[in-house]
Amino acid sequence: MEAPAPAPAPAPAALAPMPEISAPIGLLIDVNSGRVLFERQSHRRFVPASLTKIMTSYVAFELIAQGKLRLDQRFTMKPETFAKWHGVGSTMFLGNMSQTSVADLIEGIVTVSANDGCVVMAEGVAGSVPGFTAMMNAEARKLGMRDTHYNTPNGWMDEGQTWVSAADLAKLSMALITRHPALYQRFYGHHQATFGGITQNNHNPLYGHVDGADGVKTGFTNEAGYGLVGTAIRNGRRLMMVVGGYDRPVDRAEQSRALLEWGFAAWTSHPLFPKGAHLGEARVQEGEARSVGLVAPHDLALALPAGATGRPTLAIRYKGPLRAPIAKGQQVATLVVKVAGQPDEALPLVAAQDVAKGGVLARLRDGFLALAGR
């Protein structure tokens, strides 16, 4: 199925030189185009430390969106949890038997990297840490995070039982932002937070240095070294980066800032379609409806080296017919973008509406239409 091509986008040009990136693991993605601008061992598994907390917040966001968790719910710091986690690493200073709202726990987890807050959240939501990490791993599977396993909700050292990859962290962070934009905007991007009368700064080295930086999370333990999942948005264009394994925080700070600035300066974004644009239809089998609309989940664009030109050709691809049920917002197709001299890009397209599984009549209808060649 062919999609209409937009106006021509501005032929290969020399790419501006990259800054030095000494991290053993690195990834930079132009989110609107899906283009990988820089990659180094992005599928290598590594210990994430507090980068784990991105998934902890994602699970909370999913439950809130489903109506299974409320921001005003309060969870208790159990005595045994207090004894184990009080003053361990980064903390929000939760007292023994204190009750804390889900909103404050998320703020503590995201902004001050609260280890105690993660465990209180896990036990409050699932009854136990293993119960919550099972939920984390289930969400990872849904997102297609193939090089990830969680054994802890806070990333504290666990002899290597928790691991991730840069590619998986980028996928998770993009889902966090696109699936839950309002919650992301509410809880991420804060420079500091105050708990127990103590104000603590967010350690994200992008804040105050990179225009448009609004996330995502830092990580550090002696086991993991210094890592960062960082993102910034300018004029609707978002870049997402992951670096891991630095020995010194100053190198993480300076190089991550330079990498994002290079991404914005060395590459230009050529808009294709705005968020919500209807690009086509996909056939559906065994559903109450025989087709579902395909829409852009966010602004879609073509990323080219600065000064490069090229006319894109576009095509919609999906494995069809799709099978019901289908949820609104579920990725069901891709928009393949081709430009001479550039690698093909595959951008996500999502279902415009829910399609419930049909009953006997729907199956009879599909069978009859198949016999009729329709």
Side-chain angles (χ1 to χ4, degrees):
M1 184 184 299
E2 299 294 323
L15 189 64
M18 268 193 61
E20 177 189 4
I21 304 298
S22 61
I25 295 167
L27 182 64
L28 178 65
I29 299 174
D30 182 290
V31 174
N32 300 55
S33 71
R35 182 160 188 168
V36 175
L37 309 183
F38 166 73
E39 187 273 340
R40 179 181 293 156
Q41 298 195 83
S42 66
H43 292 280
R44 171 184 165 184
R45 296 177 177 181
F46 68 99
V47 177
S50 288
L51 302 181
T52 299
K53 294 162 184 165
I54 303 172
M55 178 59 88
T56 304
S57 68
Y58 180 80
V59 170
F61 287 2
E62 285 284 298
L63 293 173
I64 292 166
Q66 296 164 15
K68 298 177 181 178
L69 184 67
R70 302 189 320 273
L71 289 172
D72 62 355
Q73 272 184 263
R74 305 182 76 84
F75 294 141
T76 302
M77 167 66 90
K78 301 175 183 178
E80 58 270 27
T81 304
F82 178 81
K84 182 175 181 179
W85 289 103
H86 178 65
V88 176
S90 301
T91 177
M92 56 190 296
F93 305 101
L94 297 178
N96 189 19
M97 293 300 294
S98 62
Q99 292 193 330
T100 308
S101 70
V102 168
D104 283 346
L105 288 172
I106 296 174
E107 183 71 42
I109 291 166
V110 168
T111 303
V112 304
S113 200
N115 290 324
D116 52 353
C118 289
V119 179
V120 171
M121 175 76 80
E123 292 177 343
V125 166
S128 68
V129 165
F132 190 80
T133 56
M135 297 171 71
M136 297 169 72
N137 288 317
E139 293 298 336
R141 288 192 295 272
K142 289 179 186 177
L143 292 172
M145 298 169 62
R146 299 179 180 178
D147 295 300
T148 292
H149 179 265
Y150 295 105
N151 181 62
T152 165
N154 56 21
W156 193 250
M157 294 173 285
D158 63 355
E159 298 181 343
Q161 296 182 72
T162 296
W163 64 82
V164 296
S165 70
D168 281 357
L169 285 171
K171 183 178 294 185
L172 168 62
S173 298
M174 288 188 281
L176 185 80
I177 295 169
T178 58
R179 286 181 60 82
H180 307 288
L183 288 168
Y184 181 80
Q185 187 174 22
R186 174 169 176 170
F187 290 105
Y188 277 84
H190 300 171
H191 291 231
Q192 60 181 208
T194 301
F195 302 102
I198 300 174
T199 298
Q200 302 179 71
N201 292 327
N202 193 321
H203 293 300
N204 191 319
L206 306 179
Y207 295 169
H209 296 273
V210 176
D211 290 344
D214 62 355
V216 179
K217 189 75 187 69
T218 57
F220 168 74
T221 62
N222 291 329
E223 181 184 36
Y226 293 89
L228 171 67
V229 179
T231 186
I233 185 168
R234 297 179 187 173
N235 300 317
R237 179 190 181 195
R238 182 176 291 280
L239 299 185
M240 178 72 65
M241 59 157 287
V242 183
V243 288
Y246 279 110
D247 293 328
R248 303 191 308 162
V250 64
D251 295 330
R252 176 184 67 180
E254 293 176 353
Q255 294 183 17
S256 63
R257 294 167 189 163
L259 182 60
L260 277 178
E261 294 293 353
W262 172 81
F264 281 113
W267 299 81
T268 54
S269 182
H270 305 276
L272 294 174
F273 302 101
K275 178 180 179 179
H278 186 279
L279 301 186
E281 299 278 328
R283 290 179 56 204
V284 177
Q285 191 172 41
E286 299 180 3
E288 290 186 351
R290 293 199 64 219
S291 65
V292 64
L294 303 175
V295 300
H298 52 74
D299 291 350
L300 301 182
L302 172 66
L304 293 174
T309 60
R311 181 184 181 88
T313 60
L314 311 175
I316 292 173
R317 298 283 183 260
Y318 66 93
K319 294 181 180 179
L322 305 175
R323 287 190 176 273
I326 298 169
K328 180 180 179 180
Q330 177 183 342
Q331 182 178 344
V332 292
T334 57
L335 178 68
V336 180
V337 184
K338 297 176 179 286
V339 176
Q342 301 292 330
D344 293 354
E345 300 294 344
L347 304 178
L349 297 177
V350 300
Q353 63 272 337
D354 294 329
V355 179
K357 190 173 181 65
V360 174
L361 290 178
R363 291 195 293 274
L364 289 173
R365 175 202 65 199
D366 290 343
F368 173 78
L369 292 174
L371 289 172
R374 296 169 59 188

